[in-house]
Amino acid sequence: MTPASLPLFQQRLEQQLTLLLDARKSSSPELCPAMAYSLLLGGKRVRPYLVYQCGQLLGASLADLDGPAMAIEMLHTYSLIHDDLPAMDNDDLRRGKPTCHKAFDEATAILAGDALQALAFEVLSSHPYQHLAAERQVQMMRALASAAGAAGMCGGQAIDLAQTNQQISLARLEQMHRLKTGALIECSVKLAYYCSPLQDEQILHHLTTFAGALGLAFQVQDDILDIEGDTLTLGKPQGSDLRANKATYPALLGLDGARAKADELYQQALRALDSLPFETTELRAFAHYIIARTF
Amino acid sequence: MTPASLPLFQQRLEQQLTLLLDARKSSSPELCPAMAYSLLLGGKRVRPYLVYQCGQLLGASLADLDGPAMAIEMLHTYSLIHDDLPAMDNDDLRRGKPTCHKAFDEATAILAGDALQALAFEVLSSHPYQHLAAERQVQMMRALASAAGAAGMCGGQAIDLAQTNQQISLARLEQMHRLKTGALIECSVKLAYYCSPLQDEQILHHLTTFAGALGLAFQVQDDILDIEGDTLTLGKPQGSDLRANKATYPALLGLDGARAKADELYQQALRALDSLPFETTELRAFAHYIIARTF
């Protein structure tokens, strides 16, 4: 079941993005259409959701949270545009629509991605915050830059490319996911924290544990659905369609082992929420929604 | 003649970059070698020079200036890596050495560029400043992000790609250069200003005028040398080798007109320096060096 707050925050984000893109569309007639195309292609908006939901819980204003919510989705979107390029994963479709380099061209897709990364930092540093000290803005910037780079998202994608057609260990697979997608999901709750008035490292720690476990559970579940989907739609025996060229949790742990791993991470995420002195019903519902999803 | 401070600041930058890359080389064994390869490929280091020289003039400490000096060179380097890609300018050589995608591969070059952009913002936001208020750090971030994006460097490269094989006006050519290279050169002096204790918008204005004129003069001179170089080495008549597929100043203004334009911009840069209440001998020497260069 979708948590009640998810469509509300999704809608808020879409509105904010649309306003911002509209105000800037004349800045580059060559790039802005491609940037807007990819940013508004839909998606669950998991990262902005975490920014809004956690930030609100910690006492941040929604108007302030618009800045980091947009910034992290821009960073995520740029990474999808570049991951889809022919030299990377070479994907023609994303969310059922042509990928950026198919809808436009390769050079435009590279530049639109580059410009979206810059726009993420511009929005984060230029947002008209009402209740936020400059020190906290600097901390948001640090968190985003560090999650985006070689020791975060880009480094994870590099491992993913390097490990294709390779046997890798469980530890290496986990490191790849923790960098490639986990870093940005953890960053979402860090941005929420720095955007709030709270100064309590314990709370930041529990939130980060929650987000880390949630992000990894999402990946394990993704690998499981990749098999179960095939079983249902293609009638092949379970487990026969382990993707040959990429390591997956079921390939390393078996399907039951992967299911146990997903459940273990789900429980870890819930325990981290239990440690927070807040009403976390919505976040629990979100964790359930993310991990129990069957699409 | 090379200004005396240029080799000193070049050396300082190389040392700082080497230390930083060394401390981080284990963060991504896949990406760090490619990032280091391109960052340490040499070059005049025009942007870091302007950060150091202008910053020192305005009273910033060299240790504080290391942050923005490294950041702006990382951003410039990432843009060169991406501009060289097959889908963009498709260049095999840069400064006489294989371009990043030739020395490594295309996916690594895309990711190394992406990670260098993130590292620029990380260095700018995490540098251990001794004398800098958080508000000024935020202003540096804003200046860099805005110069890098669709309304700056990326937007300029998009115009450059779109205008290949097209007739364009002088105004459009100038806009292209002002975005593609001018935005980052102007940003260098803005970073110097925000890294200093000064709060005087007039000074920021004169510095930006200086940098803008200098950056454009550099481009005009580049177009002129493109012809004069051929005249000397190939013995072809002056002006016969106007690049057919890209607009240039000599193509639009004639060779004499382009020379007059370069001189006009040079004089404009010097007038902006005259308006500053500082000893600007080194900056004058630098402007002369940049515009009178014959290599």
Side-chain angles (χ1 to χ4, degrees), chain A residues 166-186:
Chain A
Q166 304 280 322
Q167 287 270 353
I168 62 165
S169 68
L170 190 63
R172 179 85 168 148
L173 180 66
E174 186 160 318
Q175 188 206 13
M176 188 264 282
H177 285 310
R178 283 202 182 269
L179 295 178
K180 185 176 169 172
T181 56
L184 222 54
I185 290 180
E186 287 185 21

Side-chain angles (χ1 to χ4, degrees), chain B:
Chain B
M1 208 182 72
T2 314
S5 54
L6 183 59
L8 295 177
F9 288 138
Q10 283 170 341
Q11 226 169 41
R12 184 176 179 106
L13 179 82
E14 304 275 335
Q15 280 169 352
Q16 292 295 318
L17 287 176
T18 305
L19 281 173
L20 187 123
L21 291 167
D22 211 52
R24 282 164 176 271
K25 71 179 171 206
S26 66
S27 71
S28 173
E30 291 80 12
L31 295 183
C32 290
M35 293 161 75
Y37 173 82
S38 292
L39 257 183
L40 300 177
L41 211 54
K44 284 187 287 302
R45 313 296 194 185
V46 166
R47 294 153 195 81
Y49 174 81
L50 288 172
V51 172
Y52 282 126
Q53 184 63 46
C54 296
Q56 207 178 26
L57 215 59
L58 305 180
S61 81
L62 283 181
D64 279 2
L65 291 165
D66 286 331
M70 284 193 283
I72 200 137
E73 191 67 6
M74 286 166 181
L75 207 78
H76 174 58
T77 300
Y78 116 70
S79 79
L80 298 182
I81 295 174
H82 282 191
D83 284 1
D84 287 337
L85 286 168
M88 303 265 255
D89 297 345
N90 195 20
D91 280 318
D92 293 352
L93 290 174
R94 160 84 53 191
R95 295 177 182 135
K97 301 239 177 75
T99 46
C100 190
H101 67 275
K102 284 286 167 187
F104 298 86
D105 60 44
E106 216 179 311
T108 303
I110 295 170
L111 284 170
D114 289 345
L116 273 175
Q117 176 163 205
L119 188 57
F121 288 102
E122 193 182 338
V123 165
L124 201 58
S125 58
S126 310
H127 189 68
Y129 301 102
Q130 300 291 309
H131 311 281
L132 195 61
E135 285 79 7
R136 301 284 275 200
Q137 292 184 45
V138 172
Q139 278 173 306
M140 288 207 289
M141 229 84 71
R142 265 180 221 163
L144 188 65
S146 152
M153 190 182 72
C154 287
Q157 172 69 359
I159 296 177
D160 196 11
L161 291 172
Q163 62 96 3
T164 302
N165 301 318
Q166 303 281 321
Q167 286 269 351
I168 61 166
S169 67
L170 189 64
R172 181 85 168 148
L173 180 67
E174 184 161 320
Q175 188 206 14
M176 189 265 280
H177 286 309
R178 285 202 181 267
L179 295 177
K180 186 176 170 173
T181 55
L184 224 53
I185 290 180
E186 287 185 20
C187 181
S188 308
V189 302
K190 289 182 187 169
L191 294 178
Y193 172 80
Y194 290 124
C195 205
S196 83
L198 271 190
Q199 307 246 19
D200 183 333
E201 293 286 324
Q202 273 300 310
I203 287 179
L204 179 60
H205 170 76
H206 293 315
L207 274 176
T208 311
T209 304
F210 160 71
L214 182 75
L216 199 53
F218 181 87
Q219 294 301 330
V220 180
Q221 187 67 355
D222 224 41
D223 285 352
I224 294 171
L225 289 175
D226 192 63
I227 297 170
E228 290 184 336
D230 283 342
T231 306
L232 294 175
T233 58
L234 305 178
K236 287 188 290 186
Q238 277 193 352
S240 73
D241 194 44
L242 295 174
R243 283 172 292 168
N245 57 342
K246 294 239 179 192
T248 66
Y249 283 94
L252 289 171
L253 296 175
L255 198 52
D256 286 344
R259 285 202 188 104
K261 175 86 183 168
D263 190 58
E264 181 194 315
L265 289 162
Y266 177 50
Q267 298 304 331
Q268 193 188 337
L270 296 184
R271 278 196 306 276
L273 290 182
D274 285 341
S275 311
L276 289 170
F278 301 110
E279 164 56 50
T280 56
T281 310
E282 279 292 308
L283 284 175
R284 299 178 80 87
F286 184 68
H288 185 262
Y289 162 76
I290 284 294
I291 296 168
R293 75 208 154 92
T294 51
F295 52 90

Side-chain angles (χ1 to χ4, degrees), chain A:
Chain A
M1 209 182 73
T2 315
S5 53
L6 184 58
L8 296 177
F9 288 138
Q10 283 170 340
Q11 225 168 44
R12 183 177 180 104
L13 179 80
E14 303 274 336
Q15 280 168 352
Q16 292 295 320
L17 287 177
T18 306
L19 280 172
L20 187 123
L21 291 167
D22 211 50
R24 282 164 177 271
K25 72 180 169 204
S26 65
S27 71
S28 172
E30 290 81 12
L31 295 183
C32 291
M35 294 161 75
Y37 173 82
S38 291
L39 256 184
L40 300 177
L41 211 54
K44 284 187 287 302
R45 313 295 194 184
V46 167
R47 294 154 196 81
Y49 174 81
L50 287 171
V51 171
Y52 282 127
Q53 184 63 47
C54 296
Q56 207 177 29
L57 216 58
L58 305 181
S61 82
L62 282 181
D64 280 2
L65 291 165
D66 286 330
M70 284 193 282
I72 200 136
E73 191 66 7
M74 286 167 181
L75 206 76
H76 174 58
T77 300
Y78 115 70
S79 79
L80 299 181
I81 295 175
H82 282 191
D83 285 0
D84 287 337
L85 287 168
M88 304 266 254
D89 298 345
N90 194 20
D91 280 319
D92 292 352
L93 290 175
R94 161 83 54 192
R95 298 181 179 132
K97 301 237 176 76
T99 46
C100 190
H101 67 275
K102 283 287 167 185
F104 297 86
D105 59 45
E106 218 180 308
T108 303
I110 295 170
L111 283 171
D114 290 344
L116 273 174
Q117 175 164 207
L119 188 56
F121 289 102
E122 192 182 339
V123 165
L124 201 58
S125 58
S126 311
H127 189 67
Y129 301 103
Q130 298 291 309
H131 311 281
L132 196 61
E135 285 79 6
R136 302 284 274 198
Q137 292 184 46
V138 171
Q139 278 174 306
M140 289 208 289
M141 229 85 70
R142 267 180 219 164
L144 189 65
S146 152
M153 190 182 74
C154 287
Q157 171 69 0
I159 296 177
D160 196 11
L161 291 172
Q163 63 96 5
T164 302
N165 301 319
Q166 304 280 322
Q167 287 270 353
I168 62 165
S169 68
L170 190 63
R172 179 85 168 148
L173 180 66
E174 186 160 318
Q175 188 206 13
M176 188 264 282
H177 285 310
R178 283 202 182 269
L179 295 178
K180 185 176 169 172
T181 56
L184 222 54
I185 290 180
E186 287 185 21
C187 181
S188 309
V189 302
K190 289 181 188 168
L191 294 179
Y193 172 81
Y194 291 123
C195 203
S196 83
L198 272 190
Q199 307 247 18
D200 183 334
E201 293 286 324
Q202 273 300 310
I203 287 180
L204 179 60
H205 169 76
H206 294 314
L207 275 176
T208 311
T209 305
F210 160 72
L214 183 75
L216 199 54
F218 181 89
Q219 294 300 328
V220 180
Q221 187 67 357
D222 223 43
D223 286 352
I224 295 170
L225 290 174
D226 193 62
I227 297 168
E228 289 183 336
D230 284 340
T231 306
L232 293 174
T233 56
L234 306 178
K236 286 188 290 186
Q238 277 194 351
S240 73
D241 194 43
L242 294 175
R243 282 172 293 166
N245 56 343
K246 294 241 180 191
T248 66
Y249 283 94
L252 289 171
L253 296 174
L255 198 52
D256 287 344
R259 283 201 190 105
K261 174 84 182 168
D263 191 57
E264 181 193 317
L265 288 163
Y266 177 50
Q267 298 302 330
Q268 194 188 337
L270 296 184
R271 279 197 305 278
L273 290 182
D274 285 340
S275 312
L276 290 170
F278 301 110
E279 164 58 48
T280 56
T281 311
E282 279 292 308
L283 284 175
R284 299 177 80 87
F286 184 68
H288 185 262
Y289 162 75
I290 284 294
I291 296 168
R293 75 210 154 94
T294 52
F295 51 85

